[in-house]
Amino acid sequence: MKIETIAIHAGNQVDAATGAVIEPITLSTTYERGEDGGYPSGYMYTRIGNPNRTSLENVLSKLECGVAASAFSSGNAAGAAVFQALLPGSHVLAPTDMYHGLRNLLNVVYKGILEIDYVDMSDLQEVRNSIKENTKLIWLETPSNPLLKITDIQAITNISKEHQIIVCCDNTFATPIFQNPLKLGADLVMHSTTKYLGGHSDTLGGALISKEKNDFWERILKVQELSGAVLSPFDCYLTVRGIKTLPYRMRGHLENAKQLAAFLESHLQVEEVFYPGFGGMLSFLVKGGEVKAAKVANSTKIFTQATSLGGVESLIEHRATIEGPNTKTPRNLLRLSVGLENIEDLIEDINLAIS
């Protein structure tokens, strides 16, 4: 099946009891045992499994060309499960411009437990030079947040295989519509499903998809089961519903972002534009420094100044403020999540705010 068909059908099944075309939400936390003490339905307790979660995990694994998926309560919870599955003392290589939420997770929660080095993932020699005997994980984020840097996933995975290092790629920005890291050699893919997969800014979640059902994957699943970082049935339902339109939404995000990036590149008040040529995310540097950038963010009418991304509505954000005093993000950078409004309206909104 092609990806549009997978998105619509792989996360849904006709309800056997009623014939409902859309799978119902199963809110029960517990399931009936059989006479032998087993579970005829395959479900025991919703922390361990739920029909809505199964449906979401099925469509995720097929979209990312993996063999298994697991849905988490947030993107950070998904990342944490990977970090927790590592043995204490393991060395992790992460990108210098890693998403600040996961970076803070490593720096604060796993301080003294894991050894972390941040490297420029576009510099393959730096990556090679940073590998140690205890390096167990390379974490990739491409395109990166908020500078939209691109990493050569296949080149990194070729290096990782020489040293038997696990590679996990955050594919939140690109989505499986534009990029399949598992096909390029990655072992795991991570998503904040809150973003493009859910697509409507109304459900929080995360996911991991694995290329193999190996011991490390089993450790991740055990971490999730015992810690309880699972996605609720209702959020699973909403995410499955959002995924059904993902291929078509991403085409709209792409077309709008391309046109807006081209406009900004020619604007006299714009210093530099960061856009990789695909997806709906872009960032740009405003001439006039942080004060002017803040004024632009406060002046838009259609772009809402808010955190997060990937919804149908357009958002604008001054990332350095959000990321705090230790941010590496330029103080005059604005990040845009380009939505699905009419592109002429979006261009006019940004133009008036800058001018």
Side-chain angles (χ1 to χ4, degrees), residues 328-347:
K328 306 296 183 183
T329 299
R331 305 298 303 188
N332 62 332
L333 181 141
L334 293 175
R335 190 190 72 180
L336 302 181
S337 175
V338 184
L340 301 181
E341 301 93 343
N342 185 279
I343 186 57
E344 293 181 8
D345 292 333
L346 294 180
I347 289 175

Side-chain angles (χ1 to χ4, degrees), residues 188-207:
L188 296 166
V189 166
M190 174 265 182
H191 280 279
S192 170
T193 60
T194 308
K195 313 304 192 295
Y196 286 110
L197 294 180
H200 295 80
S201 302
D202 57 5
T203 175
L204 182 72

